[in-house]
Amino acid sequence: MGNTKDKLSGKDWFLASVAGIASYLDAALLVSAGIALAIWSDHFGINPWWTGVISTSLTLSVAVGALFGGRLSDKFGRVRVFNIDILLVAIGSVIIAFSGNMGMLLLGLIIAGLASGADLPTSLAVITERVAPEHHGKVITVTEIFWILGILLSQALGFVTSTMGMTGTRVLFLWIAAVALLNWCVRVFSPKFRQVEHELYEENAHKNLAAQSGQKVSIKAVFSSKKFLVPMITVTGFYLFWNIPANTWGSFVNYFLVTINGRTQSYSTALGFFANLAAILVLFFVYMKLADTKYRYAMMHTGLFLCVLSFVVSGIFGGTSWIVFSAAYFIYSACNNLHGESIYKIWTQSFYPPDLRASVTGVSIAIVRILTAVCSVFTPMIMNYSPDLLMWLLVGSLVICWIFAGSTIRLVKKYDIPDPGIKKSNTSAVHE
């Protein structure tokens, strides 16, 4: 341990960084829409119901994009789908930026959401089939760092433009379009990037296949075999009940602080910025160091405990107390990635053969985002009705997430999935 073999190479970092932009854009779209929500509500004169519909249209589009994008990439080539997706994100973001009415706004959100969703399972599969299995935790953490950067930079831009009204929202989405277009140019026109993709595939493809015992499995087998279906249910359940609180605050924290708690747009974006700055520091200095070690699940349980505690405190002392909520939100944001999406991504790449990973991950993401979208429709109304009720619902969601996490860990042991967080027993695989 501690030698260079335990570290990501320069090529690993390059691949993960280019592919990680998919996670950046996913987060940036959701958070930028959340920042703009109060402004759009005022500008277009819409009620809480339509506020929920705007957020839901983006979340639902990401879900549909993930469902079809993952399967298309497995059938027609991940790199090809990988490149088309990112260009469409840029186009959709430009439409959002210059939308003059609700119809144009929804069109842009749908295009950008579909493309961003399709890129999520595709980019993840591109990474994990080219990086050595013993580094999957680290390289997936890189995508999570980009995800948090998407939140962080969007909140920073939101703070800078918080007094600019609709002009500020245009800046937010034109920035997303610029990042997507630059990333597309690297993916399509950079000989160095194509060379790195090829070299890493040649170096590590055999290791990833060996880790799956050379399995060749049809998509139908995923839904007909307990060995594949049960892990899909537990992993998807884990991600769903983690994602409900994450999406609630990613999409509605500004709306909650401004509309429910009476804070300013500047205050809400500043709080989000510093909370997520803490999150990215935890990811880089704690999670990334320990992701591929025996402490993987100790971190997960610690993160879940602290996140549950943050909402319990907010529920007890009042969701309408902006001071208590601000402290709870800061703790939640800092600890949320010790569990959740990082481990979800590792699990989706561990239970299935490489040729099915994008498809299965796409189905899983689609289910989660669709159900999360349904919740988003009602979230503003619950916030207006009772902030305390919202806090306790989020506590319940994280407790269910924790239960699914325990079930998935048992399946990792049962099927003898290579996992540094699980102690190996000479008899465990036989008896189970």
Coordinates of all heavy atoms in Angstrom, one line a residue, residues 32-84:
S32 N -28.4 24.6 -11.3 CA -28.6 25.9 -12.0 C -30.1 26.1 -12.2 O -30.7 27.2 -12.0 CB -27.9 26.0 -13.4 OG -26.5 25.9 -13.2
A33 N -30.8 25.0 -12.5 CA -32.3 25.1 -12.6 C -32.9 25.5 -11.2 O -33.8 26.2 -11.1 CB -32.9 23.8 -13.1
G34 N -32.3 24.9 -10.2 CA -32.8 25.1 -8.8 C -32.5 26.6 -8.4 O -33.4 27.3 -7.8
I35 N -31.4 27.1 -8.8 CA -31.1 28.5 -8.5 C -32.0 29.5 -9.3 O -32.5 30.5 -8.7 CB -29.6 28.8 -8.9 CG1 -28.6 28.1 -7.9 CG2 -29.3 30.3 -8.9 CD1 -27.2 28.2 -8.3
A36 N -32.3 29.1 -10.5 CA -33.1 29.9 -11.4 C -34.6 29.8 -11.0 O -35.4 30.6 -11.5 CB -32.9 29.6 -12.8
L37 N -35.0 28.8 -10.3 CA -36.4 28.5 -10.1 C -37.2 29.6 -9.5 O -38.3 30.0 -10.0 CB -36.5 27.3 -9.1 CG -37.7 26.3 -9.3 CD1 -37.9 25.9 -10.7 CD2 -37.5 25.1 -8.4
A38 N -36.7 30.3 -8.5 CA -37.4 31.4 -7.9 C -37.5 32.6 -8.9 O -38.5 33.3 -9.0 CB -36.7 31.9 -6.6
I39 N -36.4 32.7 -9.7 CA -36.4 33.8 -10.7 C -37.4 33.5 -11.8 O -38.2 34.4 -12.2 CB -35.0 34.0 -11.3 CG1 -34.1 34.5 -10.1 CG2 -35.0 35.0 -12.4 CD1 -32.6 34.5 -10.5
W40 N -37.4 32.3 -12.3 CA -38.4 31.9 -13.3 C -39.8 32.0 -12.8 O -40.7 32.4 -13.5 CB -38.1 30.4 -13.8 CG -36.9 30.3 -14.6 CD1 -36.3 31.2 -15.5 CD2 -36.1 29.1 -14.8 NE1 -35.2 30.7 -16.1 CE2 -35.1 29.4 -15.7 CE3 -36.2 27.8 -14.3 CZ2 -34.1 28.4 -16.1 CZ3 -35.2 26.8 -14.6 CH2 -34.2 27.2 -15.6
S41 N -40.0 31.6 -11.6 CA -41.4 31.6 -11.0 C -41.9 33.1 -11.0 O -43.0 33.3 -11.3 CB -41.3 31.1 -9.5 OG -41.0 29.7 -9.5
D42 N -41.0 34.0 -10.6 CA -41.4 35.4 -10.6 C -41.6 36.0 -12.0 O -42.5 36.7 -12.3 CB -40.4 36.2 -9.8 CG -40.7 37.7 -9.7 OD1 -41.8 38.0 -9.1 OD2 -39.9 38.5 -10.2
H43 N -40.6 35.6 -12.9 CA -40.6 36.2 -14.2 C -41.8 35.7 -15.0 O -42.4 36.5 -15.7 CB -39.3 35.8 -14.9 CG -39.2 36.4 -16.3 ND1 -38.8 37.7 -16.6 CD2 -39.4 35.8 -17.5 CE1 -38.8 37.9 -17.9 NE2 -39.1 36.8 -18.5
F44 N -42.1 34.4 -15.0 CA -43.2 33.9 -15.7 C -44.5 33.9 -15.0 O -45.6 33.5 -15.5 CB -42.9 32.5 -16.2 CG -41.7 32.4 -17.2 CD1 -40.5 31.7 -16.8 CD2 -41.8 33.0 -18.4 CE1 -39.5 31.7 -17.7 CE2 -40.7 32.9 -19.3 CZ -39.6 32.3 -19.0
G45 N -44.5 34.3 -13.7 CA -45.7 34.4 -12.9 C -46.4 33.0 -12.7 O -47.6 32.9 -12.8
I46 N -45.6 32.0 -12.2 CA -46.2 30.7 -12.1 C -46.4 30.3 -10.6 O -45.7 30.9 -9.7 CB -45.3 29.6 -12.8 CG1 -43.8 29.7 -12.2 CG2 -45.2 29.8 -14.3 CD1 -42.9 28.7 -12.8
N47 N -47.3 29.4 -10.3 CA -47.6 29.0 -9.0 C -46.7 27.8 -8.5 O -45.9 27.3 -9.4 CB -49.1 28.6 -8.9 CG -49.5 27.5 -9.8 OD1 -48.7 26.6 -10.2 ND2 -50.7 27.5 -10.3
P48 N -46.8 27.4 -7.2 CA -46.0 26.3 -6.8 C -46.1 25.0 -7.6 O -45.2 24.2 -7.7 CB -46.4 26.1 -5.3 CG -46.9 27.4 -4.9 CD -47.5 28.0 -6.1
W49 N -47.3 24.7 -8.1 CA -47.5 23.5 -8.9 C -46.6 23.5 -10.2 O -45.9 22.6 -10.5 CB -49.0 23.4 -9.3 CG -49.2 22.2 -10.3 CD1 -49.4 22.3 -11.6 CD2 -49.4 20.8 -9.9 NE1 -49.6 21.0 -12.2 CE2 -49.6 20.1 -11.1 CE3 -49.3 20.1 -8.7 CZ2 -49.8 18.7 -11.2 CZ3 -49.5 18.7 -8.8 CH2 -49.7 18.1 -10.0
W50 N -46.7 24.7 -10.9 CA -45.8 24.8 -12.1 C -44.4 24.9 -11.8 O -43.5 24.4 -12.6 CB -46.3 26.0 -12.9 CG -47.4 25.6 -13.8 CD1 -48.7 26.0 -13.6 CD2 -47.4 24.9 -15.0 NE1 -49.5 25.5 -14.7 CE2 -48.7 24.8 -15.5 CE3 -46.4 24.2 -15.7 CZ2 -49.0 24.1 -16.7 CZ3 -46.7 23.5 -16.9 CH2 -48.0 23.5 -17.3
T51 N -44.0 25.4 -10.6 CA -42.6 25.4 -10.2 C -42.1 23.9 -10.1 O -41.0 23.6 -10.5 CB -42.5 26.1 -8.8 OG1 -43.0 27.4 -8.9 CG2 -41.1 26.0 -8.3
G52 N -43.0 23.0 -9.5 CA -42.6 21.6 -9.4 C -42.5 21.0 -10.8 O -41.6 20.2 -11.1
V53 N -43.4 21.4 -11.7 CA -43.4 20.8 -13.1 C -42.1 21.2 -13.8 O -41.5 20.3 -14.5 CB -44.6 21.3 -13.9 CG1 -44.4 21.0 -15.4 CG2 -45.9 20.7 -13.4
I54 N -41.6 22.4 -13.6 CA -40.3 22.8 -14.3 C -39.2 21.9 -13.8 O -38.4 21.4 -14.6 CB -40.0 24.3 -14.0 CG1 -41.0 25.2 -14.7 CG2 -38.6 24.6 -14.4 CD1 -40.8 26.7 -14.3
S55 N -39.1 21.8 -12.5 CA -38.0 20.9 -12.0 C -38.2 19.5 -12.4 O -37.2 18.8 -12.8 CB -38.0 21.0 -10.4 OG -37.0 20.2 -9.9
T56 N -39.4 19.0 -12.4 CA -39.7 17.6 -12.8 C -39.4 17.3 -14.2 O -38.9 16.3 -14.6 CB -41.2 17.3 -12.5 OG1 -41.5 17.5 -11.1 CG2 -41.5 15.9 -12.9
S57 N -39.6 18.3 -15.1 CA -39.3 18.1 -16.5 C -37.8 17.8 -16.8 O -37.5 16.9 -17.6 CB -39.7 19.3 -17.4 OG -38.9 20.4 -17.1
L58 N -37.0 18.5 -16.0 CA -35.5 18.2 -16.1 C -35.2 16.8 -15.6 O -34.5 16.1 -16.2 CB -34.7 19.3 -15.5 CG -33.2 19.2 -15.5 CD1 -32.7 19.1 -16.9 CD2 -32.6 20.4 -14.7
T59 N -35.6 16.6 -14.4 CA -35.3 15.3 -13.7 C -35.8 14.1 -14.5 O -35.2 13.1 -14.7 CB -36.0 15.2 -12.3 OG1 -35.5 16.4 -11.6 CG2 -35.5 14.0 -11.5
L60 N -37.1 14.2 -15.0 CA -37.7 13.2 -15.9 C -36.9 13.0 -17.2 O -36.7 11.8 -17.6 CB -39.1 13.5 -16.1 CG -40.0 12.4 -16.7 CD1 -40.1 11.2 -15.7 CD2 -41.4 12.9 -16.9
S61 N -36.5 14.1 -17.8 CA -35.7 14.0 -19.0 C -34.4 13.2 -18.8 O -33.9 12.4 -19.6 CB -35.4 15.4 -19.6 OG -36.7 16.0 -19.9
V62 N -33.7 13.5 -17.7 CA -32.5 12.8 -17.3 C -32.7 11.3 -17.2 O -31.9 10.5 -17.7 CB -31.8 13.4 -16.0 CG1 -30.7 12.6 -15.6 CG2 -31.4 14.8 -16.3
A63 N -33.9 11.0 -16.6 CA -34.2 9.6 -16.4 C -34.4 8.9 -17.7 O -33.9 7.8 -18.0 CB -35.5 9.5 -15.6
V64 N -35.2 9.5 -18.6 CA -35.4 8.9 -19.9 C -34.1 8.8 -20.7 O -33.9 7.8 -21.4 CB -36.5 9.7 -20.7 CG1 -36.7 9.1 -22.1 CG2 -37.8 9.6 -19.9
G65 N -33.3 9.8 -20.7 CA -32.0 9.8 -21.4 C -31.1 8.7 -20.9 O -30.5 8.0 -21.7
A66 N -31.1 8.4 -19.5 CA -30.3 7.4 -19.0 C -30.8 6.0 -19.4 O -30.0 5.1 -19.7 CB -30.3 7.5 -17.5
L67 N -32.1 5.8 -19.4 CA -32.7 4.6 -19.8 C -32.3 4.2 -21.2 O -31.9 3.0 -21.5 CB -34.2 4.7 -19.7 CG -35.0 3.4 -20.1 CD1 -34.7 2.2 -19.2 CD2 -36.5 3.7 -20.1
F68 N -32.5 5.1 -22.2 CA -32.2 4.7 -23.6 C -30.7 4.9 -23.9 O -30.2 4.2 -24.8 CB -33.1 5.6 -24.5 CG -34.5 5.2 -24.4 CD1 -35.4 6.0 -23.7 CD2 -35.0 4.0 -25.1 CE1 -36.7 5.6 -23.7 CE2 -36.3 3.7 -25.0 CZ -37.2 4.5 -24.3
G69 N -30.0 5.9 -23.3 CA -28.6 6.1 -23.6 C -27.7 5.0 -23.2 O -26.8 4.6 -24.0
G70 N -28.0 4.4 -22.1 CA -27.2 3.3 -21.6 C -27.3 2.1 -22.6 O -26.3 1.5 -23.0
R71 N -28.5 1.8 -23.0 CA -28.7 0.6 -23.9 C -28.1 0.9 -25.3 O -27.5 0.0 -25.9 CB -30.2 0.3 -24.0 CG -30.5 -1.0 -24.8 CD -29.9 -2.2 -24.1 NE -29.9 -3.4 -24.8 CZ -29.0 -4.3 -24.8 NH1 -27.9 -4.2 -24.1 NH2 -29.1 -5.4 -25.5
L72 N -28.3 2.1 -25.8 CA -27.8 2.5 -27.1 C -26.3 2.4 -27.1 O -25.7 2.0 -28.1 CB -28.2 3.9 -27.5 CG -29.7 4.1 -27.9 CD1 -30.1 5.6 -28.0 CD2 -30.0 3.3 -29.2
S73 N -25.6 2.8 -26.0 CA -24.2 2.8 -26.0 C -23.6 1.4 -26.0 O -22.6 1.1 -26.5 CB -23.6 3.6 -24.8 OG -23.9 2.9 -23.6
D74 N -24.4 0.4 -25.3 CA -23.9 -1.0 -25.3 C -24.1 -1.6 -26.7 O -23.4 -2.5 -27.1 CB -24.7 -1.8 -24.3 CG -24.2 -1.6 -22.9 OD1 -23.0 -1.2 -22.7 OD2 -25.0 -1.9 -21.9
K75 N -25.1 -1.1 -27.4 CA -25.4 -1.7 -28.7 C -24.6 -1.1 -29.9 O -24.1 -1.8 -30.8 CB -26.9 -1.6 -29.1 CG -27.8 -2.6 -28.3 CD -29.2 -2.4 -28.6 CE -29.5 -2.9 -30.1 NZ -29.4 -4.4 -30.2
F76 N -24.4 0.2 -29.8 CA -23.9 0.9 -31.0 C -22.5 1.6 -30.7 O -22.0 2.3 -31.6 CB -24.9 2.0 -31.5 CG -26.2 1.4 -31.9 CD1 -27.3 1.7 -31.2 CD2 -26.3 0.7 -33.1 CE1 -28.5 1.1 -31.6 CE2 -27.5 0.2 -33.5 CZ -28.6 0.4 -32.7
G77 N -22.0 1.4 -29.5 CA -20.6 1.9 -29.3 C -20.7 3.1 -28.3 O -21.4 4.1 -28.5
R78 N -20.0 2.9 -27.2 CA -20.1 3.9 -26.1 C -19.4 5.2 -26.5 O -19.9 6.3 -26.1 CB -19.4 3.3 -24.8 CG -20.2 2.2 -24.2 CD -19.5 1.4 -23.2 NE -20.3 0.3 -22.8 CZ -19.8 -0.8 -22.4 NH1 -18.5 -1.0 -22.2 NH2 -20.6 -1.8 -22.1
V79 N -18.3 5.2 -27.2 CA -17.6 6.4 -27.6 C -18.5 7.2 -28.5 O -18.6 8.5 -28.4 CB -16.3 6.1 -28.2 CG1 -15.6 7.4 -28.7 CG2 -15.4 5.4 -27.2
R80 N -19.2 6.6 -29.4 CA -20.1 7.3 -30.4 C -21.2 8.0 -29.6 O -21.5 9.2 -29.8 CB -20.6 6.3 -31.4 CG -21.5 7.0 -32.5 CD -22.1 6.0 -33.4 NE -21.0 5.3 -34.1 CZ -21.1 4.1 -34.8 NH1 -22.3 3.6 -34.9 NH2 -20.1 3.6 -35.4
V81 N -21.9 7.3 -28.8 CA -23.0 7.9 -28.0 C -22.5 8.9 -27.0 O -23.1 10.0 -26.8 CB -23.8 6.8 -27.3 CG1 -24.8 7.3 -26.3 CG2 -24.4 5.8 -28.2
F82 N -21.3 8.6 -26.4 CA -20.6 9.5 -25.5 C -20.4 10.9 -26.2 O -20.7 11.9 -25.5 CB -19.2 8.8 -25.3 CG -18.4 9.3 -24.2 CD1 -18.9 9.6 -22.9 CD2 -17.0 9.5 -24.4 CE1 -18.0 10.0 -21.9 CE2 -16.2 10.0 -23.5 CZ -16.7 10.2 -22.2
N83 N -20.0 10.9 -27.4 CA -19.7 12.2 -28.1 C -21.0 12.9 -28.5 O -21.0 14.2 -28.4 CB -18.9 11.9 -29.3 CG -17.5 11.4 -28.9 OD1 -17.0 11.6 -27.8 ND2 -16.8 10.7 -29.9
I84 N -22.0 12.2 -29.0 CA -23.2 12.9 -29.4 C -24.0 13.5 -28.2 O -24.5 14.7 -28.3 CB -24.2 11.9 -30.1 CG1 -23.5 11.4 -31.5 CG2 -25.6 12.5 -30.4 CD1 -24.3 10.3 -32.1

